[in-house]
Amino acid sequence: MVDMTTKNVKFSDIFTYIWAIENCSKLITPDGIPSPVFEVNFLENTKWILAIKDIRQQFISYYIQREYDGGPDSIEVFFELSFLSADGFSLKTVQSRAHFKEGEYLEYAVLTEYVFELHRLQYLVNDTLTLICRMFRVRTDSLSERNMCFARTRLGLERRIFIWDIRNFSTFQPGRDVKHQIDSIEGTLPLQLAFHVDVVDGIEHVAFKVFKSPSGRFLRFNGKISILDVSGQKYLTRDFINFSTVTNVNFILCKKTLLMDNKSTLLLDDLLCIRSEFEIGYGAVCSDIEFYVNTPASERYILNG
């Protein structure tokens, strides 16, 4: 049994919460990802969530939080929080003993590269990242309470490829946009972008821009933009990683003169072909408790109505 700052503690009551996040191959999501709310009977029916708070280039921040549940002002919790490996082993385990008021949380972080690159096969099974939380209570009698809950969240992630054909490229002037819209299969926000010629320090550059989302919601995306030669092969490629539509974003591909100086290999009949590959993250599209082994008190009350 675990020992969390208390010597020889024996925990009789144990609650296990397993949260699977699907479509999580690269964790491209515009917002934090909260788990479904779960209830722990032996902790005075308090309610909790796990969440991934922030996805940055270097770190993934995640936490456990007590919800506003109308329970005691403060409650002491022994808990263990881990990622779950493909073989069912706990990874990057943290253990703590803490008092939580309503709305309070404890936050942890792990290297993004560690999870999604260096140890990808351990952490991601069929593009699913799984967190497990065990919560404990010390009892002085011989009774014990065990319960388990399984929850699942599916992230919206779409991969789209299209070809931009820019005709009469040699006469293409700054100030003109060739727009394209990528509509979501999930029916959420579209990704809106435009090809254009941008002038930087008096020099014309081939560029494209992604427009700010018109509503309060936004998207996160990775992009790979390639200029094709006359045989359809990639001549030049630029990668754009982990951007969002919180604001307009402009990407420079190359100087226009580079293409004009290689017209015979790149501009068949003055036609520029650009292959665009996008991974677009929409955030959670569904998130639910799948089952409890033993139904919590609040749900039993609803069922018995």
Side-chain angles (χ1 to χ4, degrees), residues 19 21 24 27 29 31-35 49-56 59-64 83 107-108 110 116 129-131 155:
W19 178 35
I21 307 170
C24 202
L27 206 58
T29 178
D31 307 300
I33 310 166
S35 76
I49 63 165
L50 304 182
I52 293 177
K53 178 182 179 183
D54 194 16
I55 304 98
R56 290 163 284 177
F59 291 100
I60 301 169
S61 172
Y62 60 102
Y63 63 91
I64 178 172
F83 292 90
E107 183 177 338
Y108 304 93
V110 63
F116 288 93
L129 182 69
T130 303
L131 282 82
L155 302 181

Side-chain angles (χ1 to χ4, degrees), residues 2-122:
V2 294
D3 178 9
M4 301 179 195
T5 71
T6 303
K7 298 295 183 182
N8 302 316
V9 170
K10 298 296 182 182
F11 298 101
S12 296
D13 294 341
I14 303 174
F15 180 90
T16 301
Y17 182 71
I18 300 173
W19 178 35
I21 307 170
E22 296 180 339
N23 249 356
C24 202
S25 59
K26 294 185 180 179
L27 206 58
I28 308 170
T29 178
D31 307 300
I33 310 166
S35 76
V37 176
F38 59 95
E39 181 178 338
V40 185
N41 283 347
F42 64 71
L43 293 177
E44 302 189 47
N45 302 114
T46 49
K47 296 181 179 181
W48 305 80
I49 63 165
L50 304 182
I52 293 177
K53 178 182 179 183
D54 194 16
I55 304 98
R56 290 163 284 177
Q57 290 285 359
Q58 191 172 4
F59 291 100
I60 301 169
S61 172
Y62 60 102
Y63 63 91
I64 178 172
Q65 178 174 327
R66 182 182 167 192
E67 292 288 272
Y68 291 90
D69 48 34
D73 290 339
S74 180
I75 191 164
E76 183 181 37
V77 179
F78 296 81
F79 70 89
E80 178 181 282
L81 186 57
S82 314
F83 292 90
L84 201 61
S85 76
D87 299 320
F89 295 109
S90 295
L91 304 171
K92 287 290 181 184
T93 300
V94 293
Q95 299 175 344
S96 186
R97 174 185 183 180
H99 286 82
F100 287 84
K101 295 181 179 180
E102 291 179 321
E104 289 187 336
Y105 63 91
L106 281 178
E107 183 177 338
Y108 304 93
V110 63
L111 285 169
T112 304
E113 182 184 39
Y114 187 90
V115 174
F116 288 93
E117 294 181 30
L118 299 178
H119 299 278
R120 181 182 183 85
L121 293 179
Q122 287 182 285

